[in-house]
Amino acid sequence: MKDGQPVRLYVNGAILGYKRGLRTQNNSVSLIKIKGVDSKDDTDFYLGKKVAFITKASVDGGKSGSKYRVNWGKVCRAHGSNGVVRCTFSRDLPPQSIGGRVRVMLYPSRV
């Protein structure tokens, strides 16, 4: 690998919504579709990986001098057979985030 070449330590994912039944929804569990994952077997690699939902802070350089805020979560288990996973976050994702993007980090490693 060349020096100065950035290394991408994440895979993109899309927020589909919350875990739900016909009449109830569980806001503490979010459904994430990971790019390039299309089967239940493929989701096994991502179990336990960290997930980052990144938003812009309303105040420049607010809390830690950063313009962004991160809500961290982790992949808990598969959901269905098409490569969707269930994730829990430290703070539940807001409804405005549905349809948005997350980063599924490639750490911690279980290998």
Side-chain angles (χ1 to χ4, degrees), residues 99-111:
R101 298 280 175 242
V102 292
R103 292 181 179 181
V104 181
M105 302 300 177
L106 298 179
Y107 54 83
S109 174
R110 295 188 303 138
V111 179

Side-chain angles (χ1 to χ4, degrees), residues 19 29-32 34 37 39-44 46-48 75-87:
K19 179 186 166 205
V29 180
S30 300
L31 303 179
I32 308 290
I34 303 173
V37 178
S39 71
K40 191 169 192 171
D41 294 335
D42 295 343
T43 62
D44 187 51
Y46 291 96
L47 299 183
V75 178
C76 297
R77 56 173 290 184
H79 181 85
S81 59
N82 284 339
V84 176
V85 294
R86 298 181 193 175
C87 300

Side-chain angles (χ1 to χ4, degrees), residues 46-52 72-77 86-90:
Y46 291 96
L47 299 183
K49 298 285 191 268
K50 290 195 172 289
V51 183
W72 287 100
K74 70 176 180 179
V75 178
C76 297
R77 56 173 290 184
R86 298 181 193 175
C87 300
T88 56
F89 288 83
S90 57

